[in-house]
Amino acid sequence: MLTKRIIPCLDVKDGRTVKGVNFLNLADVGDAVALGRKYAEDGADELVYLDISATFEGRRTFTQLVERVAAEIDIPFTVGGGIGTMEDAARLLDAGADKISINSAAIKNPELIDGIASKYGSQFVVVAIDARLTDEGVWLATTHGGRNMTDKELFSWAREAQERGAGEILFTSMNHDGTKKGYPCDTFARLADMLSIPIIASGGAGSVQDIADVLTAGRADAALAASIFHYNEIPIPVLKKALHEQGVNVRV
Amino acid sequence: MIAIIDYDTGNLRSVKNALHRLGAEFVVTSEHDVIRGAEKVLLPGVGEASAAMQKLRERGLDEVIPTLQVPVLGICIGMQLMCRHSEEGDAKCMGIFDTDVVRFFSERSLTDSMQTSSGSMLNSSGSMQTSSGPFLNSSDSMQTSSGPFQNPPSPTELNDLKIPHMGWNGIEELKTGLFDGVEDGAFVYYVHSFHALMCDEAIAVSHHGVDFCGALCKGNFYGTQFHPEKSGATGARILHNFLKL
């Protein structure tokens, strides 16, 4: 049976991971390749590298990093951050990325999904949706890390992304992101009912139970997290063992 | 020397990287003489089956590959092109493996899964003997056969199964030296929406609603539906084994 995936996300600026990491056994915690390799050895099922550089030079460095990750790490990885054109997609594919994640650019220009999916296949395109639950009880997609509200409603936008050729949906609740209080599982389950493509849950994990819940009650196919791994609050082997003991089908 | 066949179906980088990590020397080529002279041949590929097959034909590679005497490994779409036919784009393929490639949970995907499970579900005209619709909801009406997986998916299960089949899945019933040192149930990475129907040439079986060929072998020809180049230590072991064949 297909297993549920656990995916650490690494934020990269100017080619180096930025979040403080307290892995004592890594000489250079800013080395994004070494950290990725460590996660892979710990049992991560995939990796996500998110470029948060704001400069052209930073982007160029990120592409070089992608080449190194592809050369040195033998599990699949997704790259995201600032991908806005077909040329960006081509450059990262050539560098060796297995998938790219597009977010704000897809909202601005939904045809980008069609273009990338038809040229490189749906398996290459992850559409990331950062959505916020409004006071009126509507989930609306946001851009720029949640700062800008759009008029795109989560469920219809996710369905549109699937129809345009997205291979996966990465959904982050901006109401839960950073709270460590768990995921909105009912919203994830509703997404799973609607979509035929896999769903990656992001934002809100604070405990093993939160992740177990979103993979079972929330019916997500994968859980992505950053700080619980970076700060070693829940090491991946501990997480996977605990999930396995709870009957969640994971690769152990 | 190892030849990686280049027929313009996209990115070969991950296969090249994997061979680099194993310290193997290789060339990337579509030249017939180079391929014929290689000790091992790899046929990777991504994309759509009929288009990929067309690209092989344009280069005359569909004539060359089936005549090779050395170990040949098709990966993902490369393996599918070595089968008889694919439902993807209704593509006639090279016919090395005696099986067909179908879309997950297409009519043939489901009926074939029941047929191989029970061996007696189809009458002589090929239609189902049960009147309970396309899906069996009770496994006790089925004869069991060898193998760990028998039950066709229930409608509820089917509804929950995602296409593409993407992620890590176990491989069982492993055969041949390709899987030396790989344990039954080991996990490998898959990304695909079409699968090869079960057949005698299966050397690894995975399950996603239905049983399907995780890998195939016929003589010197091998194919893996999964991506050994993206399957961590297990995948590296399988590629290493192939290079030692």
Side-chain angles (χ1 to χ4, degrees):
Chain A
M1 269 195 13
L2 197 61
T3 55
K4 302 283 188 180
R5 288 169 282 153
I6 299 300
I7 308 174
C9 178
L10 295 85
D11 287 352
V12 175
K13 190 173 186 187
D14 304 323
R16 293 175 59 78
T17 44
V18 287
K19 285 199 175 145
V21 184
N22 56 6
F23 285 131
L24 299 176
N25 52 346
L26 283 185
D28 176 3
V29 293
D31 182 343
V33 177
L35 184 56
R37 193 188 300 112
K38 155 100 179 124
Y39 284 141
E41 286 164 1
D42 277 358
D45 297 302
E46 292 180 23
L47 301 170
V48 171
Y49 283 91
L50 200 59
D51 185 17
I52 58 168
S53 312
T55 62
F56 177 77
E57 184 58 27
R59 290 277 144 77
R60 207 174 57 83
T61 312
F62 185 71
T63 307
Q64 292 166 351
L65 171 69
V66 171
E67 288 175 2
R68 282 183 54 216
V69 172
E72 296 183 36
I73 297 180
D74 56 8
I75 63 169
F77 70 101
T78 302
V79 298
I83 298 167
T85 63
M86 291 291 290
E87 290 70 35
D88 291 335
R91 173 172 49 85
L92 293 163
L93 177 89
D94 288 343
D98 296 292
K99 314 176 194 182
I100 57 164
S101 161
I102 51 177
N103 190 338
S104 303
I107 288 178
K108 214 181 304 167
N109 175 20
E111 288 80 23
L112 187 63
I113 304 171
D114 308 63
I116 299 172
S118 63
K119 187 149 186 200
Y120 304 116
S122 287
Q123 85 293 332
F124 187 61
V125 191
V126 180
V127 171
I129 306 176
D130 298 338
R132 187 180 292 282
L133 185 62
T134 65
D135 295 339
E136 291 76 42
V138 183
W139 285 97
L140 292 179
T142 67
T143 61
H144 303 88
R147 289 194 300 278
N148 300 347
M149 211 75 171
T150 73
D151 57 3
K152 283 213 189 285
E153 190 271 326
L154 166 68
F155 297 102
S156 59
W157 172 230
R159 191 194 288 267
E160 180 183 340
Q162 171 178 295
E163 283 164 5
R164 287 182 180 276
E168 286 175 287
I169 298 290
L170 166 58
F171 166 45
T172 306
S173 160
M174 300 313 285
N175 301 67
H176 297 74
D177 195 33
T179 64
K180 301 203 173 182
K181 288 181 178 166
Y183 303 85
C185 286
D186 48 347
T187 309
F188 275 99
R190 223 182 120 191
L191 264 184
D193 276 334
M194 286 182 38
L195 301 178
S196 61
I197 56 176
I199 296 161
I200 305 166
S202 159
S207 68
V208 170
Q209 197 55 47
D210 292 339
I211 293 175
D213 287 346
V214 81
L215 295 175
T216 52
R219 293 172 44 209
D221 300 278
L224 175 144
S227 55
I228 58 166
F229 300 135
H230 297 327
Y231 300 109
N232 220 8
E233 293 164 6
I234 308 177
I236 292 171
V238 173
L239 170 62
K240 290 192 110 179
K241 186 162 175 285
L243 290 172
H244 179 69
E245 283 165 0
Q246 288 201 32
V248 180
N249 188 21
V250 289
R251 182 176 68 112
V252 283
Chain B
M1 184 66 79
I2 298 152
I4 300 176
I5 298 182
D6 178 11
Y7 56 116
D8 189 30
T9 64
N11 202 313
L12 302 174
R13 184 182 277 267
S14 56
V15 170
K16 287 157 64 178
N17 280 331
L19 292 185
H20 270 305
R21 286 193 293 268
L22 291 168
E25 286 187 26
F26 58 86
V27 288
V28 177
T29 182
S30 58
E31 287 181 39
H32 297 188
D33 289 347
V34 177
I35 293 167
R36 286 207 182 90
E39 294 157 38
K40 300 278 183 332
V41 175
L42 281 165
L43 182 67
V46 292
E48 195 267 342
S50 62
M53 202 54 221
Q54 182 56 30
K55 286 175 174 175
L56 279 185
R57 267 188 226 107
E58 283 164 11
R59 290 161 180 77
L61 292 166
D62 62 318
E63 303 284 330
V64 174
I65 294 167
T67 66
L68 294 172
Q69 308 286 320
V70 297
V72 178
L73 176 65
I75 296 174
C76 194
I77 195 89
M79 181 203 87
Q80 296 183 358
L81 299 182
M82 292 160 76
C83 297
R84 287 184 308 228
H85 178 271
S86 173
E87 282 186 353
E88 190 177 24
D90 190 21
K92 182 180 183 297
C93 299
M94 285 186 282
I96 295 167
F97 300 126
D98 291 325
T99 186
D100 292 332
V101 175
V102 298
R103 187 172 168 82
F104 267 110
F105 319 132
S106 71
E107 200 179 333
R108 277 195 76 197
S109 173
L110 291 170
T111 53
D112 189 89
S113 131
M114 284 186 255
Q115 189 176 23
T116 52
S117 299
S118 72
S120 61
M121 289 306 301
L122 299 179
N123 64 26
S124 54
S125 68
S127 62
M128 300 291 301
Q129 289 177 341
T130 62
S131 55
S132 60
F135 310 117
L136 293 177
N137 38 30
S138 163
S139 63
D140 57 21
S141 66
M142 300 181 48
Q143 318 258 320
T144 54
S145 66
S146 63
F149 312 122
Q150 277 98 40
N151 299 343
S154 69
T156 325
E157 189 194 354
L158 204 58
N159 191 44
D160 284 347
L161 291 167
K162 301 294 172 73
I163 306 172
H165 171 239
M166 177 190 287
W168 297 81
N169 202 336
I171 41 176
E172 312 251 344
E173 300 183 57
L174 305 179
K175 293 175 194 148
T176 78
L178 193 66
F179 295 107
D180 272 353
V182 178
E183 282 182 28
D184 236 44
F187 290 101
V188 291
Y189 192 80
Y190 283 100
V191 187
H192 61 128
S193 301
F194 292 77
H195 70 85
L197 293 169
M198 286 295 295
C199 66
D200 292 343
E201 292 160 2
I203 55 169
V205 180
S206 287
H207 188 76
H208 182 60
V210 297
D211 288 355
F212 65 91
C213 296
L216 287 158
C217 173
K218 183 180 192 177
N220 56 310
F221 293 98
Y222 295 79
T224 63
Q225 178 60 64
F226 56 86
H227 289 269
E229 76 279 15
K230 284 287 167 187
S231 297
T234 299
R237 176 70 199 226
I238 291 165
L239 283 175
H240 169 84
N241 289 341
F242 175 72
L243 299 180
K244 295 274 177 198
L245 286 172

